[in-house]
Amino acid sequence: NAGVTQTPKFRILKIGQSMTLQCTQDMNHNYMYWYRQDPGMGLKLIYYSVGAGITDKGEVPNGYNVSRSTTEDFPLRLELAAPSQTSVYFCASSSPGGGTEAFFGQGTRLTVV
Amino acid sequence: AQSVTQPDIHITVSEGASLELRCNYSYGATPYLFWYVQSPGQGLQLLLKYFSGDTLVQGIKGFEAEFKRSQSSFNLRKPSVHWSDAAEYFCAVGTSYDKVIFGPGTSLSVIP
């Protein structure tokens, strides 16, 4: 049972470069989330999606874009990388109702230099 | 909208001592409540969850939490802390129709 899979695990970008963080889940969850975690700062919600074709901004969406063309996939796009985007990124998924918890990927450690 | 607060940013306890991490939530109805643990360099792992029934729930690694509706709280406890419990702990709230909301986290340090 794969759960939530994130790729890559590590990445170094130069300022101004772009990249896509991949996230896929095999639990048929409606909800998917992207968080960033900076040291000592907890989880900040970047974007979330309640189903295919529907996305919404979280607390810190600036500098990021997402799409949700399928239930399984929720990629996060950085168009013009900035040093402030150096962080650990987590993807998660959940299903509303029934008390089901959020399942997390292992994270992507991104450094922008 | 629901919200979660964790009043303690950082807690230090001695190994073998008891532990209580506080969590308060804001929501109009009975929420689904969760505690997660994040060990250094790792993702988040579910410790326990509450969604109905007995207000005292048992989780993995010897943790338990008690739901108190009158106080809008869901505090996490452990009778005797081990050095391996040093980690970041997140409380979260969910509903039957909306996304899961996480608290800011409490960092736990354990003194040998």
Side-chain angles (χ1 to χ4, degrees):
Chain A
N1 188 357
V4 179
T5 303
Q6 286 182 240
T7 57
K9 288 186 170 56
F10 304 93
R11 184 71 185 269
I12 298 174
L13 279 182
K14 293 184 179 178
I15 294 172
Q17 285 186 320
S18 62
M19 77 163 294
T20 299
L21 280 65
Q22 301 292 345
C23 176
T24 187
Q25 53 95 5
D26 61 0
M27 296 171 283
N28 202 34
H29 284 165
N30 300 95
Y31 283 70
M32 295 188 74
Y33 316 80
W34 274 107
Y35 296 91
R36 61 176 288 172
Q37 186 178 34
D38 302 310
M41 298 300 289
L43 296 169
K44 299 290 186 184
L45 182 64
I46 305 171
Y47 271 95
Y48 69 101
S49 169
V50 302
I54 306 170
T55 62
D56 208 348
K57 296 178 180 178
E59 303 171 74
V60 290
N62 292 343
Y64 306 95
N65 279 299
V66 293
S67 61
R68 185 92 182 271
S69 57
T70 67
T71 299
E72 295 79 17
D73 301 306
F74 191 43
L76 178 71
R77 179 83 176 163
L78 284 71
E79 291 293 350
L80 290 171
S84 61
Q85 294 177 306
T86 294
S87 189
V88 180
Y89 292 84
F90 288 100
C91 179
S93 71
S94 72
S95 185
T100 58
E101 68 271 24
F103 292 82
F104 281 80
Q106 287 301 299
T108 296
R109 184 173 296 276
L110 176 67
T111 302
V112 182
V113 297
Chain B
Q2 66 268 31
S3 66
V4 182
T5 56
Q6 293 180 246
D8 304 305
I9 296 173
H10 186 256
I11 286 181
T12 300
V13 300
S14 298
E15 191 168 18
S18 63
L19 172 70
E20 183 170 29
L21 302 181
R22 296 183 291 165
C23 173
N24 294 97
Y25 68 91
S26 174
Y27 180 58
T30 301
Y32 303 120
L33 296 161
F34 311 91
W35 274 100
Y36 289 80
V37 60
Q38 184 184 29
S39 298
Q42 301 296 313
L44 277 73
Q45 179 185 19
L46 182 71
L47 280 176
L48 49 78
K49 64 182 179 182
Y50 169 83
F51 54 93
S52 66
D54 194 343
T55 56
L56 184 65
V57 294
Q58 303 296 321
I60 62 171
K61 304 185 181 186
F63 285 91
E64 66 178 27
E66 186 171 12
F67 169 57
K68 292 186 177 180
R69 186 191 305 275
S70 62
Q71 299 177 17
S72 296
S73 69
F74 188 56
N75 294 349
L76 182 71
R77 301 195 295 250
K78 187 169 185 177
S80 177
V81 171
H82 188 261
W83 63 266
S84 61
D85 293 324
E88 189 88 14
Y89 291 82
F90 294 93
C91 182
V93 61
T95 73
S96 59
Y97 62 89
D98 204 350
K99 60 186 181 295
V100 177
I101 300 292
F102 284 83
T106 297
S107 177
L108 174 66
S109 297
V110 180
I111 300 173

